[in-house]
Amino acid sequence: MADRRGPVATVAVKGELDVATSPQLQAAIDARAPGYEELVIDLSECSFFASSGISILLEENARAARDDFRLVVVKAPAPVQRIFDLTSLDKVITFRG
């Protein structure tokens, strides 16, 4: 699911994000019209998150710094969120509850 409300673009991940589904996430992000001030990636309904998703988050974080917008990730359920704690990605990317 993707949405745009004024300066905030939102992309939600539901279910599993793996090598087969990560292109869909990237396509949803890329489909957002430029000019937003904040990109929100909502993982609140994500049940599995693979390394291909981590790559996307890191790329978007770098793009946010380069293109001057904020990247915010809505926390995933605890078992999935744990991967961000283990990889210290939670120290690089802004997560919110």
Side-chain angles (χ1 to χ4, degrees):
M1 180 194 90
D3 190 21
R4 172 80 183 263
R5 293 181 195 248
V8 179
T10 303
V11 178
V13 175
K14 295 184 180 190
E16 296 185 356
L17 182 70
D18 57 23
V19 70
T21 58
S22 60
Q24 295 170 9
L25 172 59
Q26 189 64 60
I29 293 168
D30 292 345
R32 300 302 96 223
Y36 46 81
E37 295 172 14
E38 182 173 271
L39 172 61
V40 176
I41 299 177
D42 185 347
L43 301 180
S44 63
E45 295 185 41
C46 182
S47 59
F48 178 81
F49 198 88
S51 61
S52 54
I54 290 173
S55 295
I56 290 172
L57 291 183
L58 289 171
E59 290 170 16
E60 290 306 313
N61 192 54
R63 191 170 69 85
R66 183 182 65 242
D67 294 348
D68 196 33
F69 65 89
R70 287 180 305 281
L71 173 65
V72 176
V73 179
V74 176
K75 287 184 177 182
V80 176
Q81 189 66 30
R82 183 165 155 69
I83 193 166
F84 303 118
D85 300 336
L86 292 172
T87 60
S88 296
L89 202 58
D90 61 331
K91 293 175 178 41
V92 177
I93 293 176
T94 301
F95 284 86
R96 72 174 161 208

